[in-house]
Amino acid sequence: MTAIQDLFKTFAGKHGLGAACFICIAVLFWGIFLIILPQLAMLDYSFRFNLPAAQVGGVNDVYTLDNYAYFFQGNDSTVNTLDMGILVRTLVAALFVTFIDILLCYPIAFILAHSAKGVAARMMIIGLIVPFWVNEILRAFAFRVLFGSTGLINGVGMSMGLWDQPVDFIRADVALYSGLTYAYILLMVFPIFNAVEALDRNQIEAARDMGASWWRVHWRVVLPIAKPGIASGATMVFMLTAGALAAPQILGGPSSLWFTQLIYQWFNESANWQRGSAYAVVLLIVCISFVLMMMRVFKVSIGEIGR
């Protein structure tokens, strides 16, 4: 509490009491009404029976663990390998997309921070941002057209003789992974850029003068500085990828059911908000636990990510 008061006083001293109060009210409104209360409502739903509207609030409307038990056992009291397998596959896919984004965005962020200057840097930033003016749904459909059997990639590949007949990129999930990788690329580029920008260029030059190769310079000098930015970007990309719905619906093949699609089915097709809430809580807990575990493995703290 003292730290929050000190932060408020510092902010008020720089920007005025009115601006400080407005920021505090906005943050409290955002945190309480848009995050905490909806999550508490969903948590409450997850421990309820799916009852007709007339029975809600009656003697049968009691708390239960049946919705969570269904995730682990299903209806026949055997291990629910189907739903748990879909959850594991979703997490593995989200991890894969996050790893690809790191590989793509690290060199882009480094070039933006220490190589590109003036017009070149501005053009790179504009080139990254402008495509995201297009709605996410439209971008997903654009990827479906691009990777379709009569799309540009198949057309170019067959015209060059790389393959004789159209490749089913949709069924192979190539379109899905490409679309998800592209969808969250900015959330990886800018955290890494903010971290790498703080690196003193003289440290790189000193390492080069001592005979270090480029890969060793990045491994021993740049990556330790970039690690908080990588962790911040990876956290956002992983959580959003695991919770994506539009891209899996549009770009996913017939056998690539996403866990969020299961949640959607419980909420909208089965009209079972209680079970859908339980599945959503399971996804939230698993994702947060996985992120915290990775932070512990790579020795990155919340404070470092916040910077």
Side-chain angles (χ1 to χ4, degrees), residues 136 180 184 240-250 258 260-262 264:
E136 181 182 359
L180 288 170
Y184 306 119
L240 289 173
T241 303
L245 178 61
Q249 289 274 65
I250 297 170
W258 218 254
T260 48
Q261 292 174 282
L262 280 183
Y264 177 86

Side-chain angles (χ1 to χ4, degrees), residues 29-44:
F29 178 84
W30 176 276
I32 294 174
F33 291 98
L34 300 181
I35 298 177
I36 296 176
L37 291 182
Q39 297 297 326
L40 290 176
M42 187 175 66
L43 184 64
D44 180 72

Side-chain angles (χ1 to χ4, degrees), residues 2 20 22-23 44 47 53-54 83 116 130 138 171 177 182 200 210 215 269 273 284 290:
T2 303
F22 173 78
I23 294 296
D44 180 72
F47 290 106
D83 290 357
V130 168
L138 297 179
R171 185 178 293 272
Y177 291 146
Y182 177 73
D200 187 353
M210 296 178 66
W215 75 266
E269 297 177 12
W273 286 34
L284 178 65
F290 184 81

Side-chain angles (χ1 to χ4, degrees), residues 60-253:
N60 294 325
D61 191 7
V62 295
Y63 288 105
T64 178
L65 293 173
D66 284 0
N67 296 313
Y68 292 96
Y70 183 89
F71 171 75
F72 294 102
Q73 294 184 343
N75 282 325
D76 53 2
S77 298
T78 60
V79 178
N80 190 357
T81 55
L82 178 62
D83 290 357
M84 288 193 286
I86 292 172
L87 175 59
V88 172
R89 188 166 67 243
T90 300
L91 296 178
V92 171
L95 191 61
F96 176 76
V97 170
T98 303
F99 180 71
I100 296 300
D101 265 342
I102 292 173
L103 292 182
L104 290 175
C105 296
Y106 173 78
I108 295 173
F110 181 81
I111 291 171
L112 274 174
H114 290 284
S115 296
K117 302 294 181 183
V119 176
R122 289 193 291 271
M123 291 302 295
M124 286 185 68
I125 293 175
I126 291 173
L128 287 169
I129 293 176
V130 168
F132 287 85
W133 291 359
V134 179
N135 183 274
E136 181 182 359
I137 304 296
L138 297 179
R139 282 189 273 118
F141 275 111
F143 269 86
R144 189 172 182 88
V145 171
L146 184 67
F147 285 95
S149 58
T150 59
L152 177 64
I153 293 178
N154 267 312
V156 173
M158 289 189 293
S159 65
M160 295 178 62
L162 298 178
W163 50 83
D164 298 328
Q165 57 186 6
V167 178
D168 195 347
F169 291 110
I170 304 297
R171 185 178 293 272
D173 289 334
V174 175
L176 175 59
Y177 291 146
S178 300
L180 288 170
T181 299
Y182 177 73
Y184 306 119
I185 196 169
L186 290 184
L187 298 177
M188 185 68 75
V189 168
F190 288 118
I192 299 177
F193 169 78
N194 288 335
V196 174
E197 191 180 28
L199 177 66
D200 187 353
R201 182 73 186 182
N202 292 328
Q203 293 178 271
I204 299 176
E205 297 299 334
R208 293 289 291 165
D209 291 341
M210 296 178 66
S213 58
W214 267 115
W215 75 266
R216 192 168 184 83
V217 169
H218 282 274
W219 182 257
R220 298 296 297 273
V221 178
V222 182
L223 276 176
I225 301 297
K227 188 169 67 170
I230 294 174
S232 177
T235 300
M236 291 187 289
V237 171
F238 176 81
M239 296 292 280
L240 289 173
T241 303
L245 178 61
Q249 289 274 65
I250 297 170
L251 298 173

